[in-house]
Amino acid sequence: MTAPGARLTEAGTAAREHPGAEPDAAHPRRRDRAGVVETLALALLPVAWLWSTISVLGQAWLLPVLVAVGSMALAAALARSVGALLGTLAAALVGVAWVTAMTADDTAVLGIVPTPESLGATLAALNRGIVDIAWAVSTPIDATGAVLAAVVTAAIALALLVDVLGHALRVPALAIIAAAAPLVLPIAFRIDVPWWHALPGVIAAALVLVAPAIDERVAAGRGWVAPLALVAVAAVLSAAVPLLAPSPRETAVDLPTIEELFTPATPVLDADIDLGDQLRRPADRPVFSYSTTDGEPTVTRLMTLPLAGEDGFEATAPETGSPEVLVEGADRGAGMQMTVRMADVRALSLPTPERVSGVRAPAGSSWDQANDALRISADVETDGLEYTALGSRSPGLDAIAETSGSSGHDPYLAMPEAASAIAAQGAALVDPDMTAMQRVNAVHDYMTDGLWNYSEQLDLPGFAGASGDGWAALEGFLETRSGYCVHYASASAGLLRGAGVPARVVVGFLPGSPIAGGWAVSTNEMHAWAEAWIDGAGWVRVETTPGAGTGTASPEGAQVTQSPEPEPTETPEPAETPSPTETAAPSDSPSATPAAPTPSGGAAPGGDAGVVLDPALVRAVLTVLGVILLLLLPAIVRAAQRAQRLRRGPPGGWLELRATLADLGTRLPASATPGELQATIATRVPADAERAADRVRLAAERAVFDAGARERGAVDDDVRAVRRALAAAAPWWRRLLAAALPPSLLGVVAPQDR
């Protein structure tokens, strides 16, 4: 009887002499190319998953992406008849042409062939589009211009990644994971993805996984109804999960945002409010520092939200004008001049005094009288930006006569149907014969009487779930009496409108912390409050948030942190307050404006802060190190596995060579003998490595019959030599895959085809 090793050595010789011979029919080779169904599914996969982002990006990107990805798939299909990687290369060339045409057609050859000049224009356009998406303060984002180019480029990159993983490397499961990356975009913007938005991606993913079976049945002339039914079942189950599972907003699980994982060095000042969302207090970053001519701190206005929309108070369309509407027909009070020095921030508007009467708008900004905001263009660099403004502080409610009325601001009484319950509650707090000021005091007394809790963790009825909107969440706040500043401000303004007093919501900043020559304001001082219109006083602040009336609102709600009394500083006399009919500009005279304070990060003057670690930087570094470790983990585990096998002697060396073959794309059945292993290796390596493999085979076969101790290190050099020869004979992409994600970790034995 012929020995197994000899038989398999003969088989290896036959394989070398006839490399194109078909494998044994009992063990057919797995498909090395995608069929028609799988090709179509892989081509549609990036677009299908990108569809889940329409709540953020809208639908303007759909046609350009379909055309770009479709042309790439067509070019790849035509070139793939020659080779798998050639098809990917053709797709890449078409994708580069599309990106060049959208970003730098004037400097490119024929508008599509990149040149050194066009490459710079392309990178600049893509950078602008990515920045516009990353720093967008509202959704949906206008997907035109640079933003559209960035979205199409992202789709092209996904299509190329799917083509490499699905067609060239034949790992469609990894292609599905990579193509699902667009789902991160809605999560980053805190937008729940409706299940029907994610359904196309689910169907395409299921089709990619089942498509090989469909293609094989079609090629063999067999029915493909069963695999297609499997796709339908998988799609239905995937669509049913979001319907049966609770909404993320209705559970206690609070997923972190991209900003919380990778805190940007540049804070974003977003004046939009979500009544049904929990507060995610940003990292404490400096926003601006300021000084006043009267030496006193002040709250500052960032944006007014005059419109009671369907989900809460919101800004209206900008309207260029002057800031006089804040105090029109009213006593301005004691005037002061405010000098502001900005830090590096991203915002739609700049901070101004609470009651602005005049502002010297810096370049790239203008006054928006519809929302009482100093609007700034997105391309203006804020770091170090200085400007001055005139204004005053809102009078206290106790300083306004109770006989004061309110007139001429009827649009600020409107409430949507969704807020009818809150309006009715406000009407119930007052009597018909009350004056406007008496109504304001009645609402203020209601919002400050009894136990009210300042809390950033919400458990509100109607909490932004499927059964309610922002106003429903606000009704829940009035029941539980627990929330933070946007709830107190919105509830106060809503009740005031219901009580018949014009009201609105303001987003701005608390006074901040004292520094040498002024005050420093950080992101944690961002605040919201209500304003009511009173004849003779103008828009007056109605502060109801616990603690915010005299200092910083305590995050715990149990304590009130008083703002420290600032030390007097020598400042010039306050600038003369202009008359109500005059729009004043700050004086150019140096004597009228104190030197802009130097931000000190909130540290006490003269104090030794020592070495201070930025928690955001530490968290980012640890996150990057964790990602690197995660990427290296398969290679680390594989190296440890190799060392453990070699310690077992020749049998372990045989297993290691079998695992190496699996990593490089050749899987042997579990019944494979050392002779079969040596025969397979012999077809791939030069003669010296073949002899080394034969020595490993002989040593492993002898060890089977040797019950004694196995010598460690006996075959280590031979195993290493064979591994190096096998790697040298494999394509570069196969070596890269074997290093980054060794298939042998998932099992080195291929399942038998049936």
Side-chain angles (χ1 to χ4, degrees):
M1 183 173 65
T2 305
R7 288 200 310 267
L8 290 166
T9 302
E10 294 171 1
T13 303
R16 288 197 303 271
E17 294 175 352
H18 305 285
E22 290 295 327
D24 183 48
H27 304 285
R29 181 169 50 191
R30 65 188 279 252
R31 296 183 63 88
D32 58 357
R33 290 189 181 182
V36 176
V37 177
E38 187 178 359
T39 297
L40 292 175
L42 285 168
L44 292 175
L45 187 59
V47 181
W49 277 121
L50 197 60
W51 178 261
S52 66
T53 67
I54 61 173
S55 53
V56 173
L57 298 174
Q59 301 182 29
W61 55 269
L62 182 58
L63 182 58
V65 166
L66 281 175
V67 173
V69 173
S71 60
M72 291 171 61
L74 179 60
L78 295 175
R80 191 157 285 120
S81 59
V82 179
L85 288 178
L86 191 60
T88 300
L89 178 61
L93 293 176
V94 174
V96 169
W98 276 110
V99 174
T100 304
M102 295 190 67
T103 57
D105 56 345
D106 293 338
T107 54
V109 178
L110 301 178
I112 59 173
V113 180
T115 62
E117 294 80 9
S118 70
L119 183 60
T122 295
L123 293 178
L126 294 181
N127 178 72
R128 186 166 60 253
I130 293 172
V131 168
D132 289 345
I133 295 174
W135 298 106
V137 296
S138 62
T139 56
I141 302 171
D142 183 18
T144 59
V147 172
L148 179 59
V151 174
V152 174
T153 302
I156 290 172
L158 281 176
L160 285 175
L161 188 59
V162 168
D163 194 271
V164 171
L165 295 174
H167 286 110
L169 303 184
R170 301 299 299 123
V171 280
L174 293 182
I176 291 173
I177 296 174
L183 276 174
V184 176
L185 192 58
I187 295 173
F189 280 87
R190 294 272 181 190
I191 295 178
D192 291 333
V193 180
W195 64 269
W196 58 88
H197 289 181
L199 185 58
V202 171
I203 295 175
L207 191 59
V208 167
L209 292 178
V210 184
I214 299 178
D215 289 325
E216 289 173 2
R217 287 171 177 261
V218 171
R222 301 170 59 189
W224 46 267
V225 176
L228 193 60
L230 181 60
V231 175
V233 171
V236 169
L237 291 178
S238 302
V241 168
L243 296 178
L244 301 177
S247 168
R249 288 178 177 267
E250 296 173 347
T251 63
V253 178
D254 185 23
L255 296 177
T257 63
I258 296 298
E259 287 80 6
E260 290 168 337
L261 292 176
F262 302 96
T263 304
T266 304
V268 181
L269 306 183
D270 186 359
D272 292 336
I273 58 177
D274 186 345
L275 294 174
D277 203 4
Q278 291 185 4
L279 176 62
R280 290 156 185 86
R281 189 173 292 280
D284 195 12
R285 304 275 189 184
V287 177
F288 66 97
S289 57
Y290 71 95
S291 61
T292 58
T293 52
D294 61 6
E296 296 295 329
T298 180
V299 297
T300 50
R301 178 185 306 270
L302 186 66
M303 178 75 72
T304 303
L305 310 179
L307 180 63
E310 290 300 318
D311 296 321
F313 284 91
E314 57 191 38
T316 187
E319 181 181 345
T320 303
S322 70
E324 290 188 25
V325 69
L326 283 170
V327 289
E328 179 183 351
D331 179 15
R332 295 176 185 269
M336 58 92 177
Q337 182 170 279
M338 178 180 182
T339 300
V340 179
R341 181 182 177 87
M342 296 295 299
D344 185 17
V345 297
R346 296 270 179 176
L348 293 176
S349 55
L350 299 173
T352 60
E354 183 182 7
R355 295 157 64 94
V356 189
S357 58
V359 60
R360 173 164 293 169
S365 65
S366 61
W367 183 258
D368 171 16
Q369 68 178 10
N371 300 286
D372 297 324
L374 182 57
R375 295 275 188 170
I376 185 172
S377 302
D379 57 349
V380 173
E381 179 66 40
T382 61
D383 193 14
L385 179 66
E386 292 189 32
Y387 59 95
T388 55
L390 293 179
S392 60
R393 299 168 182 83
S394 175
L397 298 183
D398 54 357
I400 303 175
E402 284 213 345
T403 57
S404 300
S406 181
S407 59
H409 290 77
D410 291 345
Y412 293 90
L413 295 172
M415 293 284 278
E417 181 64 28
S420 58
I422 295 177
Q425 188 173 351
L429 296 175
V430 299
D431 296 329
D433 57 348
M434 281 185 172
T435 65
M437 195 58 217
Q438 289 173 334
R439 294 167 186 256
V440 171
N441 287 328
V443 171
H444 183 269
D445 291 345
Y446 171 77
M447 291 294 300
T448 55
D449 185 35
L451 180 61
W452 292 83
N453 181 42
Y454 183 95
S455 174
E456 297 173 1
Q457 303 298 320
L458 304 180
D459 184 17
L460 306 180
F463 173 53
S467 61
D469 54 18
W471 294 109
L474 200 60
E475 292 177 28
F477 160 75
L478 290 172
E479 293 177 10
T480 60
R481 295 192 167 201
S482 179
Y484 47 97
C485 62
V486 297
H487 302 99
Y488 286 92
S490 300
S492 299
L495 294 175
L496 284 168
R497 290 195 177 194
V501 180
R504 60 191 188 178
V505 171
V506 178
V507 176
F509 295 92
L510 292 168
S513 304
I515 58 175
W519 290 264
V521 179
S522 72
T523 50
N524 278 358
E525 265 83 46
M526 206 164 183
H527 185 52
W529 63 87
E531 283 187 336
W533 177 266
I534 300 297
D535 293 339
W539 289 107
V540 296
R541 177 155 47 104
V542 183
E543 183 62 81
T544 57
T545 302
T550 56
T552 304
S554 169
E556 292 76 22
Q559 299 178 351
V560 176
T561 303
Q562 298 289 337
S563 293
E565 290 293 330
E567 296 182 4
T569 56
E570 294 186 5
T571 56
E573 291 296 323
E576 182 180 354
T577 304
S579 65
T581 59
E582 176 187 359
T583 303
S587 170
D588 289 328
S589 171
S591 62
T593 305
T598 302
S600 62
D608 185 7
V611 178
V612 179
L613 294 179
D614 187 349
L617 178 60
V618 173
R619 185 167 63 250
V621 171
L622 292 178
T623 302
V624 171
L625 292 178
V627 171
I628 294 175
L629 179 61
L630 185 62
L631 294 175
L632 294 178
L633 187 60
I636 295 173
V637 173
R638 181 69 178 86
Q641 187 184 68
R642 181 183 310 117
Q644 183 180 13
R645 283 174 177 153
L646 292 179
R647 283 197 294 268
R648 296 169 55 192
W654 166 64
L655 290 175
E656 174 58 29
L657 290 182
R658 193 157 71 97
T660 301
L661 280 175
D663 289 341
L664 296 174
T666 301
R667 300 190 180 188
L668 298 177
S671 59
T673 65
E676 290 176 311
L677 175 65
Q678 192 274 339
T680 304
I681 293 174
T683 64
R684 292 166 169 78
V685 298
D688 56 343
E690 180 183 353
R691 289 191 292 271
D694 196 43
R695 289 193 293 270
V696 176
R697 174 188 66 82
L698 290 173
E701 288 179 337
R702 290 182 186 132
V704 174
F705 303 101
D706 184 4
R710 298 174 180 177
E711 181 183 356
R712 293 185 179 180
V715 296
D716 288 8
D717 291 340
D718 287 336
V719 170
R720 293 190 183 98
V722 176
R723 291 187 69 253
R724 286 194 296 268
L726 287 172
W732 66 267
W733 56 268
R734 183 65 77 178
R735 294 197 299 269
L736 182 62
L737 181 62
L741 189 63
S744 63
L745 294 180
L746 306 177
V748 299
V749 180
Q752 299 294 328
D753 292 332
R754 288 178 172 81

